[in-house]
Amino acid sequence: MMGQLDSGQNKLFYSFNLDNHVPQTHLLRGIDRALDLGDLRQHLAPFYSPIGRPSIDPEFMIRMLIVGYCFGIRSERRLCEEVHLNLAYRWFCRLGLDDAVPEHSTFSKNRHGRFRDSDVLRHVFESVLGRCMAEGLVRGEGFAIDASIIKADASRSSAVPGTDPIDWGPTAKQSRAVREYLQALEESNPVASDAAESAESSTPPKMISLSDPASSWTAAPGGPAFFAYSTNYLIDLEAGIIMDVEATPANRSHEVESTKTMIDRVEQRLCLKPARLVGDTAYGTAAMLGWMVEQKEIAPHVPVWERYARKDDAFSTSEFKWNETANEYRCPAGKALRSERRQFKNSRTHVTKADTIIYRSSQLDCAGCSMKERCCPKTPFRKVTRSIHEAARDEARRIATTSAYKQSRRERKKVEMLFAHLKRILKLDRLRLRGPSGAHDEFLLAATAQNLRRMAIRLMARDDKSEIATA
């Protein structure tokens, strides 16, 4: 006999336990175990009024945001709908079946207010990182650094040339992103009487977005140019845990400088400093290598950024032998190249604005040299430029010949895998929020979600092994 479903939707009483309807293997089970927000209210207490109507629980909002970033729900309006419908999301957010989900505008009000004022997203990120360290997922011996470009919420149609004067209108009608941009201009040039004078005093960008002027106009990935920010990851190579994240303009110099900020912040807050730092050629500049070797005593597992090779058949710089004791180079013919050939009354460093020292050969030596056509065919003497951080560059070149360096190059793929996961799984290939603060918030939440997912998977796998061993 054919059966017929009795929906039971008209029952007056139900016996329902939400916990029983969330599978033990669900990812949110592991994330809930890994997430500890016990001190969140204490951190936010100074930013709430002691009187008045009780607000929405901040832990509840943070849990909802974590759900959104862990499962690639990019819209807060859609996030509220999903939490309303999904039993696992309700369970993770500590909601009952009858509890209401707040309006999506609640997130905007708190984000632009007390969340940013208290830097609570940084607090949550570091809390999760501390749990990762407690679970043994961070070794602290080797870190890797890299950056990835994320499109800004700015259309190409809103672009205007950076050299054109822009009327941003009255302050009351400016967007948050515009006010943040103009405030940054004023802080960078306090002498200027207004933002317009500040903008004129610096080199203008090629294009500026009217909706998000702090974003950078870039064509770095290839193809048509667009507005973007860069997310910079500093990861531990043991399990690929993100140690720090920094939002910068999509510009190589800003990306490299953010490395110093993150290394110093991790050392200050977590008392961790890596023995080696792995990166690509962008981090192999002389100044960066000098900072790593001379100031931080970190082994640079980074390719050295070399000058372009000469296009003619002349001797390259590598064929000139350096003599540290004599402070001179020796050319292939055995002649000396020096930074000074006479004594000055007042000693000079001979350091250029580019932090280099130029060593020159004697014109007399070069005039009668049989190798002149291969050394300096178009000039009367040969010049060799040496960085003041050349010792650090030499150390990086020495490390590049070791087996440990080869292992570091393989391990560096972990940070690239995190960026692929960020864009394909978490769907953060384009920002929703505008301005540097918006990029900062999104990148911190995404990094927190990635660390939580990785730790949850490790914890659940550990439990499975324990159950098998017990059985």
Side-chain angles (χ1 to χ4, degrees), residues 68-69 71-79 150 422 426-433 442:
Y69 279 83
F71 294 95
I73 304 174
R74 300 290 297 130
S75 166
E76 286 167 0
R77 189 186 297 270
R78 181 170 165 245
L79 174 62
I150 307 293
L422 176 72
L426 304 191
K427 296 180 173 42
L428 187 56
D429 55 352
R430 182 186 176 96
L431 294 173
R432 284 190 310 104
L433 308 180
E442 291 219 59

Side-chain angles (χ1 to χ4, degrees), residues 162-163 181 184-186 188-189 192 195-205 208:
T163 54
Y181 168 74
L185 286 180
E186 292 176 353
S188 64
N189 188 3
E197 292 180 8
S198 177
E200 292 175 358
S201 64
S202 59
T203 303
I208 292 180

